[in-house]
Amino acid sequence: QSALTQPASVSGSPGQSITISCTGTSSDIGGYNFVSWYQQHPDKAPKLMIYEVTRRPPGVPDRFSGSKSGNTASLTISGLQAEDEADYYCSSFTSRVTGVFGTGTKVTVL
Amino acid sequence: EVQLVESGGGLVQPGGSLRLSCAASGFTLSRHWMIWVRQAPGKGLDWVASIKQDGSEKNYVDSVKGRFSISRDNAKNSVYLQMTTLRAEDTAVYFCGRGFCSGPSCYSETSDCWGQGTLVTVAS
């Protein structure tokens, strides 16, 4: 149950698009369409941004989108805004009937 | 308003035990899987355990199997995490999360609502 692999940091200017990758294995990301993405601001609880690879919960802006190819999932933030600066974590259902998180990515808005 | 409030954290010596509680309000607890995750200081999120709506299924990450036990009391709107044989590496903020439901589908590994967390420190 190793953590999914994410880049440590990604940055972009306001209005730009950025993409965060999340790499797992066939026992998690590659085997199921149960990939989620969370946003976490400092000292706050995580916020669900994407579930089932591509779906957005109510209230999440459509600037946030998800995708998956093989064992790698991705989160794209379009039209980057200052309030998007936060840590982002992917997660996936696993063959052990548990969840597993990614290592986390710090998004910086330049 | 949907709310989750964790309690029971604190300082405990290695090998000791703690019981965390999560009080739920503003929604029907019995409809949702419930999840515990943790976050060590300055580190990433770590999935710990989940429990099915009626308590009939419980799942644990390998690192806590045999030491931690998740339970729930829907009548009391509460979820619990009994932690035994605690180690220094269990030091973290523990968050209780509501399993996400979309229409008739409810998820065991995705959460749309979290508490503020309770800090567990394992040290001598």
Short mmCIF file of all heavy atoms in Angstrom, two decimals, chain A residues 1 34-36 38 40 44-48 50-52 55 57-58 87 89 91-94 96-103, chain B residues 33 37 39 43-48 50 57 59-63 65 95 100 102 105 107-116:
data_model
loop_
_atom_site.label_atom_id
_atom_site.label_comp_id
_atom_site.label_asym_id
_atom_site.label_seq_id
_atom_site.Cartn_x
_atom_site.Cartn_y
_atom_site.Cartn_z
N GLN A 1 0.83 -1.20 0.00
CA GLN A 1 0.00 0.00 0.00
C GLN A 1 0.87 1.25 0.00
O GLN A 1 0.74 2.13 0.86
CB GLN A 1 -0.92 -0.02 1.21
CG GLN A 1 -1.99 -1.08 1.10
CD GLN A 1 -2.76 -1.30 2.39
OE1 GLN A 1 -2.16 -1.38 3.45
NE2 GLN A 1 -4.06 -1.42 2.29
N PHE A 34 -12.12 4.79 -9.41
CA PHE A 34 -12.45 5.46 -8.15
C PHE A 34 -11.24 6.30 -7.72
O PHE A 34 -10.60 6.04 -6.69
CB PHE A 34 -12.81 4.44 -7.08
CG PHE A 34 -14.10 3.71 -7.36
CD1 PHE A 34 -14.12 2.34 -7.52
CD2 PHE A 34 -15.30 4.41 -7.49
CE1 PHE A 34 -15.32 1.68 -7.78
CE2 PHE A 34 -16.49 3.76 -7.76
CZ PHE A 34 -16.49 2.38 -7.90
N VAL A 35 -10.96 7.31 -8.51
CA VAL A 35 -9.89 8.25 -8.20
C VAL A 35 -10.52 9.57 -7.78
O VAL A 35 -11.44 10.07 -8.43
CB VAL A 35 -8.97 8.49 -9.41
CG1 VAL A 35 -7.91 9.54 -9.08
CG2 VAL A 35 -8.32 7.18 -9.85
N SER A 36 -10.03 10.10 -6.68
CA SER A 36 -10.52 11.38 -6.16
C SER A 36 -9.38 12.35 -6.02
O SER A 36 -8.21 11.94 -5.95
CB SER A 36 -11.19 11.18 -4.79
OG SER A 36 -12.23 10.25 -4.85
N TYR A 38 -8.30 15.98 -3.74
CA TYR A 38 -8.63 16.86 -2.63
C TYR A 38 -7.72 18.09 -2.66
O TYR A 38 -6.55 18.00 -3.01
CB TYR A 38 -8.41 16.14 -1.30
CG TYR A 38 -9.31 14.95 -1.08
CD1 TYR A 38 -8.92 13.68 -1.50
CD2 TYR A 38 -10.55 15.08 -0.47
CE1 TYR A 38 -9.74 12.58 -1.31
CE2 TYR A 38 -11.38 13.98 -0.27
CZ TYR A 38 -10.96 12.74 -0.70
OH TYR A 38 -11.77 11.65 -0.51
N GLN A 40 -6.26 21.06 -0.07
CA GLN A 40 -6.09 21.34 1.36
C GLN A 40 -5.31 22.63 1.55
O GLN A 40 -4.14 22.71 1.16
CB GLN A 40 -5.39 20.18 2.08
CG GLN A 40 -5.35 20.35 3.59
CD GLN A 40 -4.66 19.22 4.31
OE1 GLN A 40 -3.71 18.63 3.81
NE2 GLN A 40 -5.12 18.90 5.52
N LYS A 44 -6.20 23.38 7.43
CA LYS A 44 -7.62 23.14 7.14
C LYS A 44 -7.83 21.66 6.80
O LYS A 44 -6.88 20.94 6.47
CB LYS A 44 -8.09 24.00 5.96
CG LYS A 44 -8.00 25.49 6.22
CD LYS A 44 -9.00 25.94 7.27
CE LYS A 44 -9.00 27.45 7.40
NZ LYS A 44 -9.93 27.92 8.45
N ALA A 45 -9.08 21.24 6.88
CA ALA A 45 -9.40 19.88 6.46
C ALA A 45 -9.41 19.81 4.93
O ALA A 45 -9.61 20.82 4.25
CB ALA A 45 -10.77 19.48 7.01
N PRO A 46 -9.19 18.63 4.38
CA PRO A 46 -9.24 18.50 2.91
C PRO A 46 -10.63 18.81 2.37
O PRO A 46 -11.63 18.65 3.07
CB PRO A 46 -8.89 17.02 2.68
CG PRO A 46 -8.24 16.56 3.94
CD PRO A 46 -8.86 17.36 5.04
N LYS A 47 -10.67 19.22 1.11
CA LYS A 47 -11.93 19.47 0.41
C LYS A 47 -11.97 18.61 -0.84
O LYS A 47 -11.03 18.63 -1.64
CB LYS A 47 -12.05 20.95 0.02
CG LYS A 47 -13.31 21.26 -0.79
CD LYS A 47 -13.33 22.72 -1.24
CE LYS A 47 -14.55 23.00 -2.12
NZ LYS A 47 -14.58 24.40 -2.63
N LEU A 48 -13.06 17.88 -1.04
CA LEU A 48 -13.20 17.02 -2.20
C LEU A 48 -13.43 17.87 -3.45
O LEU A 48 -14.37 18.67 -3.49
CB LEU A 48 -14.36 16.05 -2.00
CG LEU A 48 -14.65 15.07 -3.14
CD1 LEU A 48 -13.48 14.11 -3.33
CD2 LEU A 48 -15.94 14.29 -2.86
N ILE A 50 -12.74 16.34 -6.92
CA ILE A 50 -13.07 15.42 -8.01
C ILE A 50 -13.29 14.03 -7.42
O ILE A 50 -12.56 13.63 -6.50
CB ILE A 50 -11.93 15.34 -9.05
CG1 ILE A 50 -11.70 16.69 -9.75
CG2 ILE A 50 -12.19 14.22 -10.07
CD1 ILE A 50 -12.76 17.07 -10.76
N TYR A 51 -14.29 13.30 -7.93
CA TYR A 51 -14.47 11.91 -7.56
C TYR A 51 -14.77 11.09 -8.81
O TYR A 51 -15.11 11.65 -9.86
CB TYR A 51 -15.58 11.75 -6.51
CG TYR A 51 -16.98 12.04 -7.02
CD1 TYR A 51 -17.84 11.00 -7.38
CD2 TYR A 51 -17.45 13.34 -7.14
CE1 TYR A 51 -19.12 11.25 -7.84
CE2 TYR A 51 -18.72 13.61 -7.60
CZ TYR A 51 -19.56 12.56 -7.94
OH TYR A 51 -20.83 12.81 -8.41
N GLU A 52 -14.61 9.79 -8.72
CA GLU A 52 -14.80 8.90 -9.87
C GLU A 52 -14.07 9.43 -11.11
O GLU A 52 -14.63 9.48 -12.21
CB GLU A 52 -16.30 8.72 -10.18
CG GLU A 52 -16.92 7.59 -9.40
CD GLU A 52 -18.30 7.21 -9.92
OE1 GLU A 52 -18.63 7.55 -11.08
OE2 GLU A 52 -19.05 6.59 -9.15
N ARG A 55 -15.66 13.40 -12.09
CA ARG A 55 -16.87 14.07 -11.62
C ARG A 55 -16.57 15.12 -10.56
O ARG A 55 -15.72 14.90 -9.69
CB ARG A 55 -17.86 13.04 -11.06
CG ARG A 55 -18.32 12.04 -12.10
CD ARG A 55 -19.40 11.15 -11.56
NE ARG A 55 -19.93 10.28 -12.61
CZ ARG A 55 -21.05 9.58 -12.50
NH1 ARG A 55 -21.78 9.67 -11.40
NH2 ARG A 55 -21.46 8.81 -13.47
N PRO A 57 -18.09 17.37 -7.38
CA PRO A 57 -19.19 17.53 -6.42
C PRO A 57 -19.85 18.90 -6.62
O PRO A 57 -19.23 19.82 -7.20
CB PRO A 57 -18.50 17.46 -5.06
CG PRO A 57 -17.16 16.89 -5.32
CD PRO A 57 -16.80 17.27 -6.72
N PRO A 58 -21.07 19.06 -6.15
CA PRO A 58 -21.72 20.36 -6.25
C PRO A 58 -20.87 21.46 -5.63
O PRO A 58 -20.29 21.28 -4.56
CB PRO A 58 -23.02 20.16 -5.47
CG PRO A 58 -23.27 18.70 -5.52
CD PRO A 58 -21.93 18.05 -5.52
N ASP A 87 -2.33 22.70 -1.18
CA ASP A 87 -1.82 21.35 -1.43
C ASP A 87 -2.94 20.52 -2.04
O ASP A 87 -4.10 20.65 -1.66
CB ASP A 87 -1.35 20.71 -0.13
CG ASP A 87 -0.14 21.40 0.46
OD1 ASP A 87 0.71 21.88 -0.31
OD2 ASP A 87 -0.04 21.44 1.71
N TYR A 89 -4.09 16.51 -3.17
CA TYR A 89 -3.84 15.09 -2.98
C TYR A 89 -4.78 14.26 -3.86
O TYR A 89 -5.99 14.52 -3.88
CB TYR A 89 -4.06 14.67 -1.52
CG TYR A 89 -3.10 15.30 -0.54
CD1 TYR A 89 -3.39 16.51 0.07
CD2 TYR A 89 -1.91 14.66 -0.22
CE1 TYR A 89 -2.51 17.08 0.97
CE2 TYR A 89 -1.03 15.22 0.69
CZ TYR A 89 -1.33 16.43 1.28
OH TYR A 89 -0.45 16.98 2.16
N SER A 91 -6.34 10.38 -4.53
CA SER A 91 -6.57 9.15 -3.77
C SER A 91 -7.25 8.15 -4.68
O SER A 91 -7.87 8.52 -5.68
CB SER A 91 -7.39 9.40 -2.51
OG SER A 91 -8.75 9.57 -2.84
N SER A 92 -7.15 6.89 -4.32
CA SER A 92 -7.74 5.83 -5.12
C SER A 92 -8.22 4.70 -4.24
O SER A 92 -7.65 4.44 -3.16
CB SER A 92 -6.73 5.29 -6.13
OG SER A 92 -7.26 4.18 -6.85
N PHE A 93 -9.24 4.03 -4.71
CA PHE A 93 -9.65 2.75 -4.13
C PHE A 93 -8.57 1.74 -4.51
O PHE A 93 -7.90 1.86 -5.53
CB PHE A 93 -10.99 2.34 -4.73
CG PHE A 93 -11.56 1.06 -4.18
CD1 PHE A 93 -12.17 1.05 -2.95
CD2 PHE A 93 -11.49 -0.12 -4.91
CE1 PHE A 93 -12.71 -0.13 -2.44
CE2 PHE A 93 -12.02 -1.29 -4.41
CZ PHE A 93 -12.64 -1.30 -3.18
N THR A 94 -8.35 0.73 -3.65
CA THR A 94 -7.33 -0.27 -3.94
C THR A 94 -7.90 -1.69 -3.89
O THR A 94 -8.99 -1.92 -3.37
CB THR A 94 -6.16 -0.19 -2.94
OG1 THR A 94 -6.54 -0.86 -1.71
CG2 THR A 94 -5.78 1.24 -2.61
N ARG A 96 -7.12 -3.92 -2.03
CA ARG A 96 -7.25 -4.38 -0.63
C ARG A 96 -8.50 -3.79 0.03
O ARG A 96 -8.66 -3.87 1.24
CB ARG A 96 -6.01 -3.98 0.16
CG ARG A 96 -4.74 -4.63 -0.38
CD ARG A 96 -3.60 -4.44 0.55
NE ARG A 96 -2.38 -5.05 0.05
CZ ARG A 96 -1.41 -5.49 0.82
NH1 ARG A 96 -1.53 -5.39 2.14
NH2 ARG A 96 -0.33 -6.03 0.30
N VAL A 97 -9.34 -3.17 -0.79
CA VAL A 97 -10.60 -2.58 -0.30
C VAL A 97 -10.30 -1.48 0.70
O VAL A 97 -11.02 -1.30 1.70
CB VAL A 97 -11.56 -3.64 0.31
CG1 VAL A 97 -13.00 -3.11 0.31
CG2 VAL A 97 -11.50 -4.93 -0.47
N THR A 98 -9.23 -0.77 0.48
CA THR A 98 -8.88 0.40 1.28
C THR A 98 -8.71 1.58 0.33
O THR A 98 -8.87 1.45 -0.87
CB THR A 98 -7.58 0.19 2.05
OG1 THR A 98 -6.51 -0.01 1.09
CG2 THR A 98 -7.65 -1.02 2.97
N GLY A 99 -8.39 2.71 0.90
CA GLY A 99 -8.01 3.85 0.07
C GLY A 99 -6.52 4.08 0.20
O GLY A 99 -5.87 3.56 1.11
N VAL A 100 -5.98 4.84 -0.72
CA VAL A 100 -4.57 5.24 -0.65
C VAL A 100 -4.47 6.65 -1.20
O VAL A 100 -5.12 6.98 -2.20
CB VAL A 100 -3.65 4.27 -1.41
CG1 VAL A 100 -3.98 4.22 -2.89
CG2 VAL A 100 -2.18 4.61 -1.17
N PHE A 101 -3.68 7.48 -0.54
CA PHE A 101 -3.49 8.86 -0.97
C PHE A 101 -2.20 8.99 -1.75
O PHE A 101 -1.29 8.18 -1.65
CB PHE A 101 -3.43 9.80 0.23
CG PHE A 101 -4.76 10.07 0.86
CD1 PHE A 101 -5.12 9.45 2.03
CD2 PHE A 101 -5.64 10.99 0.29
CE1 PHE A 101 -6.35 9.70 2.62
CE2 PHE A 101 -6.86 11.25 0.87
CZ PHE A 101 -7.22 10.61 2.04
N GLY A 102 -2.13 10.08 -2.51
CA GLY A 102 -0.89 10.45 -3.16
C GLY A 102 0.03 11.18 -2.19
O GLY A 102 -0.37 11.52 -1.07
N THR A 103 1.23 11.44 -2.64
CA THR A 103 2.25 12.09 -1.80
C THR A 103 2.00 13.58 -1.63
O THR A 103 2.58 14.20 -0.75
CB THR A 103 3.63 11.88 -2.41
OG1 THR A 103 3.59 12.24 -3.81
CG2 THR A 103 4.07 10.42 -2.28
N TRP B 33 -20.72 5.31 4.53
CA TRP B 33 -19.47 4.81 5.03
C TRP B 33 -18.83 5.93 5.84
O TRP B 33 -19.07 7.11 5.58
CB TRP B 33 -18.53 4.46 3.88
CG TRP B 33 -18.81 3.18 3.19
CD1 TRP B 33 -19.75 2.95 2.21
CD2 TRP B 33 -18.11 1.94 3.36
NE1 TRP B 33 -19.68 1.65 1.79
CE2 TRP B 33 -18.69 1.01 2.46
CE3 TRP B 33 -17.05 1.54 4.17
CZ2 TRP B 33 -18.23 -0.31 2.38
CZ3 TRP B 33 -16.59 0.23 4.07
CH2 TRP B 33 -17.19 -0.68 3.19
N VAL B 37 -8.72 9.17 8.50
CA VAL B 37 -7.42 9.38 7.88
C VAL B 37 -6.57 10.15 8.87
O VAL B 37 -7.08 10.70 9.85
CB VAL B 37 -7.51 10.15 6.53
CG1 VAL B 37 -8.45 9.46 5.58
CG2 VAL B 37 -7.92 11.59 6.75
N GLN B 39 -2.76 12.68 9.40
CA GLN B 39 -1.75 13.51 8.77
C GLN B 39 -0.68 13.85 9.81
O GLN B 39 -0.95 14.60 10.75
CB GLN B 39 -2.39 14.78 8.19
CG GLN B 39 -1.47 15.60 7.34
CD GLN B 39 -2.21 16.67 6.55
OE1 GLN B 39 -3.21 17.23 6.99
NE2 GLN B 39 -1.73 16.97 5.35
N LYS B 43 3.31 16.58 7.00
CA LYS B 43 3.34 15.49 6.03
C LYS B 43 2.02 15.37 5.28
O LYS B 43 1.11 16.18 5.47
CB LYS B 43 3.65 14.16 6.75
CG LYS B 43 4.97 14.16 7.51
CD LYS B 43 6.16 14.31 6.58
CE LYS B 43 7.46 14.19 7.35
NZ LYS B 43 8.65 14.36 6.45
N GLY B 44 1.92 14.36 4.44
CA GLY B 44 0.73 14.16 3.62
C GLY B 44 -0.34 13.35 4.33
O GLY B 44 -0.18 12.92 5.47
N LEU B 45 -1.45 13.18 3.61
CA LEU B 45 -2.57 12.42 4.15
C LEU B 45 -2.30 10.92 4.09
O LEU B 45 -1.67 10.44 3.15
CB LEU B 45 -3.83 12.76 3.35
CG LEU B 45 -4.31 14.20 3.41
CD1 LEU B 45 -5.41 14.45 2.38
CD2 LEU B 45 -4.81 14.54 4.81
N ASP B 46 -2.82 10.21 5.06
CA ASP B 46 -2.59 8.77 5.18
C ASP B 46 -3.92 8.11 5.53
O ASP B 46 -4.49 8.39 6.60
CB ASP B 46 -1.55 8.52 6.29
CG ASP B 46 -1.11 7.08 6.38
OD1 ASP B 46 -1.24 6.35 5.37
OD2 ASP B 46 -0.62 6.67 7.45
N TRP B 47 -4.44 7.29 4.65
CA TRP B 47 -5.72 6.61 4.86
C TRP B 47 -5.56 5.56 5.95
O TRP B 47 -4.59 4.79 5.94
CB TRP B 47 -6.14 5.97 3.54
CG TRP B 47 -7.55 5.59 3.42
CD1 TRP B 47 -8.56 6.31 2.87
CD2 TRP B 47 -8.12 4.34 3.83
NE1 TRP B 47 -9.73 5.59 2.91
CE2 TRP B 47 -9.48 4.38 3.51
CE3 TRP B 47 -7.61 3.19 4.44
CZ2 TRP B 47 -10.35 3.34 3.77
CZ3 TRP B 47 -8.46 2.15 4.70
CH2 TRP B 47 -9.82 2.23 4.37
N VAL B 48 -6.47 5.50 6.90
CA VAL B 48 -6.31 4.61 8.05
C VAL B 48 -7.34 3.45 8.05
O VAL B 48 -6.97 2.28 8.11
CB VAL B 48 -6.43 5.39 9.37
CG1 VAL B 48 -6.38 4.43 10.57
CG2 VAL B 48 -5.32 6.43 9.47
N SER B 50 -11.88 2.32 7.33
CA SER B 50 -13.24 2.67 6.94
C SER B 50 -14.21 1.64 7.51
O SER B 50 -13.83 0.51 7.82
CB SER B 50 -13.38 2.73 5.41
OG SER B 50 -13.21 1.44 4.83
N GLU B 57 -18.75 -4.27 7.67
CA GLU B 57 -17.47 -4.37 6.96
C GLU B 57 -16.53 -3.29 7.47
O GLU B 57 -16.92 -2.13 7.58
CB GLU B 57 -17.68 -4.23 5.46
CG GLU B 57 -16.41 -4.39 4.64
CD GLU B 57 -16.66 -4.30 3.14
OE1 GLU B 57 -17.79 -4.55 2.69
OE2 GLU B 57 -15.70 -3.96 2.41
N ASN B 59 -12.35 -1.99 7.09
CA ASN B 59 -11.12 -2.11 6.33
C ASN B 59 -10.02 -1.26 6.95
O ASN B 59 -10.30 -0.17 7.45
CB ASN B 59 -11.35 -1.67 4.88
CG ASN B 59 -12.47 -2.45 4.21
OD1 ASN B 59 -12.42 -3.67 4.11
ND2 ASN B 59 -13.50 -1.75 3.76
N TYR B 60 -8.80 -1.79 6.93
CA TYR B 60 -7.68 -1.11 7.57
C TYR B 60 -6.45 -1.10 6.67
O TYR B 60 -6.21 -2.06 5.92
CB TYR B 60 -7.30 -1.82 8.88
CG TYR B 60 -8.40 -1.94 9.89
CD1 TYR B 60 -9.23 -3.06 9.92
CD2 TYR B 60 -8.62 -0.93 10.84
CE1 TYR B 60 -10.25 -3.16 10.85
CE2 TYR B 60 -9.64 -1.03 11.77
CZ TYR B 60 -10.45 -2.15 11.77
OH TYR B 60 -11.46 -2.26 12.69
N VAL B 61 -5.66 -0.05 6.78
CA VAL B 61 -4.37 -0.04 6.11
C VAL B 61 -3.47 -1.01 6.88
O VAL B 61 -3.63 -1.23 8.08
CB VAL B 61 -3.79 1.39 6.09
CG1 VAL B 61 -3.42 1.86 7.47
CG2 VAL B 61 -2.61 1.48 5.14
N ASP B 62 -2.52 -1.63 6.18
CA ASP B 62 -1.68 -2.67 6.80
C ASP B 62 -0.98 -2.19 8.07
O ASP B 62 -0.83 -2.94 9.03
CB ASP B 62 -0.63 -3.16 5.81
CG ASP B 62 -1.20 -4.12 4.78
OD1 ASP B 62 -2.37 -4.55 4.94
OD2 ASP B 62 -0.49 -4.45 3.81
N SER B 63 -0.55 -0.94 8.09
CA SER B 63 0.26 -0.45 9.20
C SER B 63 -0.49 -0.37 10.52
O SER B 63 0.13 -0.24 11.58
CB SER B 63 0.85 0.92 8.86
OG SER B 63 -0.18 1.84 8.59
N LYS B 65 -3.38 -2.59 11.08
CA LYS B 65 -4.12 -3.83 11.28
C LYS B 65 -3.67 -4.54 12.54
O LYS B 65 -2.48 -4.67 12.81
CB LYS B 65 -3.91 -4.76 10.07
CG LYS B 65 -4.88 -4.56 8.95
CD LYS B 65 -4.65 -5.57 7.83
CE LYS B 65 -5.52 -5.26 6.64
NZ LYS B 65 -5.22 -6.14 5.49
N PHE B 95 -8.32 12.72 11.28
CA PHE B 95 -9.55 13.29 10.75
C PHE B 95 -10.60 12.20 10.54
O PHE B 95 -10.29 11.13 10.01
CB PHE B 95 -9.30 13.96 9.38
CG PHE B 95 -8.42 15.15 9.37
CD1 PHE B 95 -7.07 15.04 9.06
CD2 PHE B 95 -8.93 16.41 9.68
CE1 PHE B 95 -6.25 16.15 9.03
CE2 PHE B 95 -8.11 17.53 9.65
CZ PHE B 95 -6.76 17.40 9.33
N PHE B 100 -18.57 9.75 0.79
CA PHE B 100 -19.34 10.52 -0.16
C PHE B 100 -20.44 9.67 -0.79
O PHE B 100 -20.22 8.52 -1.14
CB PHE B 100 -18.41 11.06 -1.25
CG PHE B 100 -19.08 11.87 -2.32
CD1 PHE B 100 -19.79 13.01 -2.00
CD2 PHE B 100 -18.98 11.50 -3.65
CE1 PHE B 100 -20.40 13.77 -2.99
CE2 PHE B 100 -19.59 12.25 -4.65
CZ PHE B 100 -20.30 13.39 -4.32
N SER B 102 -23.39 9.95 -3.92
CA SER B 102 -23.92 10.66 -5.07
C SER B 102 -25.10 9.87 -5.58
O SER B 102 -24.93 8.80 -6.17
CB SER B 102 -22.84 10.80 -6.15
OG SER B 102 -23.37 11.46 -7.30
N SER B 105 -25.38 5.92 -5.06
CA SER B 105 -24.03 5.36 -4.90
C SER B 105 -23.34 6.00 -3.71
O SER B 105 -23.25 7.22 -3.61
CB SER B 105 -23.20 5.62 -6.16
OG SER B 105 -23.79 5.02 -7.28
N TYR B 107 -19.68 5.79 -1.39
CA TYR B 107 -18.30 5.38 -1.59
C TYR B 107 -17.62 5.11 -0.26
O TYR B 107 -17.83 5.81 0.73
CB TYR B 107 -17.55 6.47 -2.35
CG TYR B 107 -18.17 6.78 -3.70
CD1 TYR B 107 -19.22 7.67 -3.81
CD2 TYR B 107 -17.71 6.15 -4.85
CE1 TYR B 107 -19.80 7.95 -5.04
CE2 TYR B 107 -18.28 6.42 -6.08
CZ TYR B 107 -19.32 7.32 -6.17
OH TYR B 107 -19.89 7.58 -7.39
N SER B 108 -16.72 4.13 -0.27
CA SER B 108 -16.01 3.76 0.95
C SER B 108 -14.67 4.44 1.06
O SER B 108 -14.06 4.43 2.13
CB SER B 108 -15.79 2.24 0.99
OG SER B 108 -14.92 1.85 -0.09
N GLU B 109 -14.16 5.03 -0.02
CA GLU B 109 -12.80 5.56 0.01
C GLU B 109 -12.74 7.05 -0.28
O GLU B 109 -11.67 7.64 -0.26
CB GLU B 109 -11.92 4.79 -0.98
CG GLU B 109 -12.02 5.22 -2.43
CD GLU B 109 -13.41 5.08 -3.03
OE1 GLU B 109 -14.21 4.25 -2.55
OE2 GLU B 109 -13.72 5.81 -3.99
N THR B 110 -13.89 7.67 -0.54
CA THR B 110 -13.96 9.09 -0.89
C THR B 110 -14.80 9.81 0.15
O THR B 110 -15.87 9.34 0.51
CB THR B 110 -14.61 9.26 -2.28
OG1 THR B 110 -13.80 8.59 -3.25
CG2 THR B 110 -14.72 10.73 -2.64
N SER B 111 -14.32 10.95 0.61
CA SER B 111 -15.04 11.69 1.64
C SER B 111 -15.31 13.12 1.20
O SER B 111 -14.42 13.77 0.65
CB SER B 111 -14.26 11.69 2.94
OG SER B 111 -14.94 12.46 3.92
N ASP B 112 -16.52 13.62 1.47
CA ASP B 112 -16.88 14.98 1.09
C ASP B 112 -17.01 15.91 2.29
O ASP B 112 -17.36 17.08 2.13
CB ASP B 112 -18.18 14.99 0.28
CG ASP B 112 -19.38 14.54 1.10
OD1 ASP B 112 -19.19 13.80 2.10
OD2 ASP B 112 -20.51 14.91 0.75
N CYS B 113 -16.75 15.41 3.47
CA CYS B 113 -16.88 16.24 4.66
C CYS B 113 -15.95 15.69 5.73
O CYS B 113 -15.95 14.49 5.99
CB CYS B 113 -18.33 16.23 5.15
SG CYS B 113 -18.58 17.17 6.67
N TRP B 114 -15.19 16.58 6.32
CA TRP B 114 -14.21 16.17 7.33
C TRP B 114 -14.38 17.01 8.59
O TRP B 114 -14.82 18.15 8.54
CB TRP B 114 -12.78 16.39 6.81
CG TRP B 114 -12.47 15.67 5.55
CD1 TRP B 114 -12.66 16.13 4.28
CD2 TRP B 114 -11.91 14.36 5.42
NE1 TRP B 114 -12.25 15.18 3.37
CE2 TRP B 114 -11.79 14.10 4.04
CE3 TRP B 114 -11.50 13.40 6.33
CZ2 TRP B 114 -11.27 12.89 3.56
CZ3 TRP B 114 -10.99 12.21 5.85
CH2 TRP B 114 -10.88 11.96 4.48
N GLY B 115 -13.97 16.44 9.72
CA GLY B 115 -13.91 17.22 10.94
C GLY B 115 -12.66 18.08 10.95
O GLY B 115 -11.89 18.11 9.99
N GLN B 116 -12.43 18.76 12.07
CA GLN B 116 -11.27 19.64 12.20
C GLN B 116 -10.02 18.88 12.63
O GLN B 116 -8.92 19.40 12.57
CB GLN B 116 -11.56 20.77 13.19
CG GLN B 116 -11.38 20.42 14.66
CD GLN B 116 -12.40 19.43 15.21
OE1 GLN B 116 -13.43 19.17 14.59
NE2 GLN B 116 -12.11 18.87 16.38
#
